[in-house]
Amino acid sequence: MEQKAPRRTREKIMDLSLRLFNEFGEPNITTTIIADEMKISPGNLYYHFRNKDDIVNSIFVTFEEEISRMLAMTQGQRPTMHDVWHYLHHMFQLIWRYRFFYRDLNDLLSRNRTLELHFKEIFGHKIAVVKELCQGLHEGKTLEASPAEIDALSSNMVVVASYWLSYQYVLNPRQYTEQAVVEHALASGCYQVLSLMHPYLRGETLLHFEQLKTKYLQTNA
């Protein structure tokens, strides 16, 4: 029992820090604030984490594990529009859960070498997965695009997906965390990213996209 207690406290610190970073922005939160919210002494917090960057890096390890599992979801199968939609939905949910990384990304990368290197790899992996999805649709004759167009489309989809929630925050900062606003932001993000594929879609995949589009527009009218 005594060996498990430190681990539980460490996890609670990480959970609380993630919530505070998401709600108020990582630059605005100090270890003192985290310790006060945890109702523990700063010394107790430093027993588990050397400093705030140590907390950020520990949260990032969990984020990286989750996103690696998600990015592996599409391997070994011929993709459909349904697969792409669900992949994007899971991606947006993950970005929302760890949104401070994306919202505070420039500041974090400027002072954290670990995040600088790993986030570059994550973006590259995202682009590779989207490219694989597009190429799978192309091989199935339901996406008509040249290799150069697929390269550009893959990058554009990742850029929009990665920064969509930050854009939504700019539009509606005071209600950003309300459940209805969150649900709309996630759904609209999926729709906006998929819309980039629309000009290239053919056959049953185009029909499926039109069905998803109609359902989305009716739900969000």
Side-chain angles (χ1 to χ4, degrees):
M1 294 295 292
E2 292 180 358
Q3 293 177 345
K4 292 183 178 179
R7 185 179 63 84
R8 288 201 299 269
T9 301
R10 179 182 174 86
E11 290 173 350
K12 289 178 181 178
I13 293 172
M14 288 174 59
D15 289 343
L16 174 65
S17 298
L18 177 59
R19 179 175 64 80
L20 293 174
F21 293 159
N22 280 339
E23 187 172 351
F24 300 105
E26 184 273 342
N28 300 316
I29 299 299
T30 64
T31 52
T32 301
I33 292 173
I34 296 170
D36 286 345
E37 288 290 323
M38 277 287 296
K39 295 181 172 27
I40 61 176
S41 68
N44 195 347
L45 186 145
Y46 292 134
Y47 171 78
H48 299 281
F49 297 97
R50 296 186 304 276
N51 48 44
K52 188 173 74 168
D53 280 348
D54 193 16
I55 299 175
V56 171
N57 289 340
S58 298
I59 294 173
F60 182 76
V61 168
T62 304
F63 164 73
E64 197 169 29
E65 290 172 351
E66 290 189 36
I67 202 166
S68 294
R69 288 195 296 270
M70 196 216 71
L71 290 171
M73 287 171 51
T74 61
Q75 294 179 350
Q77 60 183 4
R78 178 66 62 84
T80 66
M81 179 53 61
H82 182 77
D83 294 327
V84 178
W85 176 270
H86 278 277
Y87 168 77
L88 286 171
H89 189 69
H90 287 305
M91 174 65 75
F92 274 109
Q93 287 181 321
L94 187 61
I95 292 174
W96 173 258
R97 190 154 62 248
Y98 295 94
R99 58 192 176 276
F100 85 92
F101 281 126
Y102 291 83
R103 188 181 60 206
D104 304 326
L105 190 57
N106 289 353
D107 182 74
L108 286 166
L109 296 189
S110 69
R111 56 183 173 79
N112 191 313
R113 181 64 173 168
T114 299
L115 264 62
E116 178 186 349
L117 295 175
H118 285 242
F119 241 100
K120 187 181 298 183
E121 292 178 0
I122 287 173
F123 272 47
H125 195 177
K126 284 182 181 180
I127 292 172
V129 169
V130 174
K131 184 177 179 179
E132 182 180 338
L133 288 170
C134 291
Q135 288 174 334
L137 293 173
H138 177 70
E139 292 169 3
K141 310 297 183 184
T142 58
L143 185 143
E144 187 176 313
S146 68
E149 288 172 328
I150 289 177
D151 285 345
L153 177 61
S154 302
S155 295
N156 290 340
M157 290 175 68
V158 170
V159 169
V160 174
S162 298
Y163 292 98
W164 180 256
L165 293 179
S166 295
Y167 168 68
Q168 291 294 305
Y169 177 77
V170 171
L171 295 182
N172 199 1
R174 296 185 182 277
Q175 297 174 304
Y176 186 63
T177 58
E178 293 182 8
Q179 187 62 32
V181 175
V182 172
E183 291 176 358
H184 174 74
L186 298 180
S188 62
C190 290
Y191 172 70
Q192 291 293 332
V193 174
L194 276 185
S195 294
L196 295 172
M197 301 180 72
H198 187 197
Y200 305 100
L201 299 179
R202 304 291 184 269
E204 62 182 20
T205 299
L206 176 58
L207 293 176
H208 194 179
F209 170 81
E210 294 292 352
Q211 292 170 354
L212 290 170
K213 174 183 175 181
T214 299
K215 183 178 180 180
Y216 164 77
L217 292 176
Q218 289 174 345
T219 304
N220 293 273

